[in-house]
Amino acid sequence: MPSGMHRFALTYKSLCRLKQQRGTISACSPSHARSFTGPHKITYVSTNDLVCALFWRAISRAHKAVNPSDPNTCMMLACDVRQRIGLPLTYTGNLSFPLIMHSTKDELSSQTLTDTATCIRHRINSISSKFVHETLALMSSEQSMQKLISLFDPAHSFFSASITSGFQMFNVSDFGFGQPSHIDIPAYLTPGFSIWMPAKSSKTAINVNISLRNDVFKHMAADSEFTEFVDMIH
């Protein structure tokens, strides 16, 4: 199935409405809790947790519509683990740690948006120095890497978020060419991968660039929960 790059915009107003969905922070479902190490009481979810939940749920529902025989879905989130392994935030090395969550499409459908965001926050809070080192050791084997690569199969329900929207890219030095008026990324066609970019507009907070199968995009564009908060640019 052909894929294409698509851009979605989240305005400041839509983010405010999304934050109002927080409601009551609930416990995670047993299938998610099994992957945690020790108790991690959740008292809040972040805006990023909610946006990740919004996209993951929409992609999961779209894949369920086009491929109902596959019950599974997963999400990969790039997390900054510097403080979790004792490094200062001034350390500039590449410590973007791949945090992977597995679920089923039916389970996500049975949850509220806040439930899914809570499970994401629960998983993030479970990261420890020991967990990071054990995961990196596990991923050093060829068998583990092949299993990770298999997640990127276009037929599977998969969402990955790389968040760069917090960087002040429009205020960087102009290098003699003037400050940037637009920031974009080269096209990449691995379905489910997304990169969140800052927006120049005073009305828009985040632009989400994401590669999607065309049939999945069609269902997402008609998804009522998703389109309540997200504006489709192209």
Side-chain angles (χ1 to χ4, degrees):
M1 173 61 64
S3 301
M5 285 295 300
H6 301 277
R7 174 175 291 173
F8 301 94
L10 287 98
T11 65
Y12 287 104
K13 286 185 177 180
S14 64
L15 285 180
C16 287
R17 287 190 288 107
L18 187 61
K19 292 175 185 178
Q20 293 173 0
Q21 301 296 309
R22 283 192 175 105
T24 302
I25 305 300
S26 58
C28 286
S29 62
S31 64
H32 283 104
R34 281 195 294 270
S35 63
F36 302 145
T37 53
H40 301 277
K41 185 177 180 180
I42 305 301
T43 57
Y44 87 105
V45 293
S46 72
T47 304
N48 283 344
D49 299 338
L50 287 162
V51 176
C52 283
L54 182 69
F55 273 84
W56 187 19
R57 289 163 60 82
I59 288 176
S60 175
R61 287 190 294 266
H63 270 276
K64 184 177 181 179
V66 301
N67 187 14
S69 62
D70 181 5
N72 299 312
T73 183
C74 71
M75 184 188 82
M76 185 167 70
L77 180 63
C79 295
D80 180 357
V81 297
R82 286 175 293 183
Q83 290 184 308
R84 298 174 190 270
I85 59 175
L87 290 173
L89 289 176
T90 52
Y91 179 83
T92 57
N94 183 9
L95 281 172
S96 182
F97 184 77
L99 182 68
I100 301 172
M101 289 187 62
H102 295 273
S103 187
T104 66
K105 298 168 185 174
D106 287 342
E107 183 173 26
L108 286 191
S109 296
S110 69
Q111 296 173 347
T112 65
L113 179 60
T114 302
D115 290 339
T116 307
T118 302
C119 289
I120 293 171
R121 175 49 47 182
H122 208 311
R123 194 74 176 94
I124 292 171
N125 285 2
S126 72
I127 300 174
S128 63
S129 177
K130 179 182 178 182
F131 178 78
V132 171
H133 286 94
E134 288 179 348
T135 301
L136 291 177
L138 179 66
M139 291 175 62
S140 65
S141 72
E142 181 178 351
Q143 183 179 5
S144 296
M145 286 306 299
Q146 289 298 324
K147 186 175 182 180
L148 178 63
I149 292 171
S150 70
L151 298 176
F152 309 151
D153 187 327
H156 297 326
S157 173
F158 173 75
F159 171 61
S160 174
S162 293
I163 303 167
T164 64
S165 54
F167 293 100
Q168 299 300 315
M169 297 183 184
F170 288 102
N171 297 324
V172 298
S173 174
D174 60 27
F175 300 105
F177 298 100
Q179 289 186 323
S181 60
H182 176 74
I183 296 173
D184 214 330
I185 56 173
Y188 56 97
L189 296 176
T190 302
F193 273 94
S194 73
I195 295 184
W196 303 10
M197 307 291 286
K200 184 74 171 179
S201 169
S202 60
K203 295 181 179 180
T204 301
I206 305 171
N207 285 326
V208 176
N209 296 330
I210 184 168
S211 176
L212 295 168
R213 282 174 36 176
N214 292 345
D215 53 352
V216 171
F217 170 73
K218 180 180 178 180
H219 284 278
M220 287 181 67
D223 187 292
S224 59
E225 180 185 81
F226 185 68
T227 55
E228 180 182 354
F229 302 102
V230 178
D231 294 327
M232 183 170 52
I233 299 178
H234 61 73

